[in-house]
Structures are given as C-alpha cells and as structure tokens.
C-alpha cells in the first residue's frame, strides 16, 4: 500500500480554524463554497465553526488525496495568503512575480484578487507543482 502525500497540515488547519468563523480553514482544505458561506454567516452563527473543530481531521485527509504535493508548499502558501495576501507575498512565493508586484502596489488588486486567490490557491499550487514536476 502506498503512503499518501501530506499536502495539508492539521496544525495549520487548526490555526486557521481560530479564524474559521470567517471560513479560512474551509478555503484551506479546498472547500471554497462553504468557506464563502462561513465568511458571510460567521461560521453559520458560530455553530458550524464549533462543529468544524471535529471535522478538520476528515477535511485534512480529503485534501491530502485531492491535491498534488511538490516544490510549492500548500501550508506556506496559505499562511502567506491569509496573513500577507494584500501584499502578494503568496504569489511571489509561487513564482508569479509580476502579479505579486501588482498585488503589492494595489492592495491585492483592491482585495478582489485576494478573494479570487482564497477560492483558487489550492488549484494554483497543484498546477504549479505539476508544471515543475513535468518540466
């Protein structure tokens, strides 16, 4: 039996869960629709947020199976996006220097780009890791 890659960390998931009433942990585990719902309803009025405390291990396993490991770390990418997203540091980390600099001077393209990245960062990293793997 092959060992599955550990693309996402439970520790980072729980760290983001602290801000989970805004949905950040759900975005991290590749669930942008429910992440958006959590954002606009404060974690379904904090009830869903508390339930997620127990659901994080399952979300972590699912994310590990779904996304590709590689040179670009999901954990670092998500920490950079969550705390420094408006400065584009996460984009520079992935090698997207031009858009990173644009984010730096425009506040993450006026926060719309940061929202887009919350929805798509896992897929962006998977694509980047696939490109680097196959050249």
């Amino acid at each position: 039996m092959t060992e599955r890659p550990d693309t996402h960390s439970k520790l980072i998931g729980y760290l983001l869960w602290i801000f989970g009433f805004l949905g950040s942990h759900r975005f991290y585990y590749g669930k942008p629709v429910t992440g958006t719902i959590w954002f606009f309803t404060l974690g379904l009025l904090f009830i869903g947020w508390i339930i997620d405390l127990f659901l994080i291990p399952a979300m972590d396993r699912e994310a590990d199976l779904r996304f590709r490991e590689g040179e670009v770390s999901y954990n670092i990418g998500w920490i950079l996006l969550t705390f420094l997203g408006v400065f584009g540091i996460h984009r520079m980390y992935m090698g997207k220097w031009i858009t990173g600099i644009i984010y730096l001077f425009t506040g993450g393209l006026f926060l719309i780009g940061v929202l887009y990245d919350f929805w798509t960062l896992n897929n962006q990293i998977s694509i980047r890791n696939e490109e680097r793997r196959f050249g």
Side-chain angles (χ1 to χ4, degrees):
M1 184 155 90
T2 61
E3 190 174 318
R4 65 183 165 87
D6 189 23
T7 60
H8 290 70
S9 164
K10 284 184 198 73
L11 177 66
I12 302 298
Y14 281 115
L15 174 68
L16 295 175
W17 174 82
I18 293 169
F19 304 100
F21 58 91
L22 297 175
S24 55
H25 65 292
R26 290 198 156 259
F27 286 110
Y28 172 67
Y29 286 123
K31 299 180 176 297
V33 174
T34 56
T36 303
I37 292 169
W38 260 233
F39 180 82
F40 287 112
T41 64
L42 295 176
L44 293 175
L45 302 176
F46 294 99
I47 295 168
W49 178 66
I50 292 169
I51 291 170
D52 277 353
L53 177 65
F54 304 102
L55 295 179
I56 283 178
M59 287 191 277
D60 181 70
R61 282 190 301 274
E62 183 181 317
D64 287 344
L65 293 171
R66 188 169 160 204
F67 298 109
R68 303 257 184 225
E69 71 176 338
E71 190 174 311
V72 178
S73 168
Y74 292 88
N75 300 323
I76 294 171
W78 275 99
I79 289 171
L80 293 174
L81 172 59
T82 301
F83 298 107
L84 300 170
V86 295
F87 303 113
I89 305 299
H90 64 288
R91 289 193 156 262
M92 293 178 206
Y93 168 70
M94 291 189 300
K96 298 179 176 185
W97 288 95
I98 294 172
T99 56
I101 291 169
I102 291 170
Y103 273 41
L104 179 65
F105 289 112
T106 61
L109 283 180
F110 312 106
L111 296 178
I112 294 171
V114 173
L115 179 62
Y116 169 80
D117 286 344
F118 266 100
W119 268 74
T120 63
L121 187 65
N122 281 318
N123 289 330
Q124 289 181 51
I125 292 173
S126 283
I127 290 168
R128 182 63 89 191
N129 286 338
E130 201 68 28
E131 286 172 356
R132 290 187 178 177
R133 181 180 298 151
F134 295 112

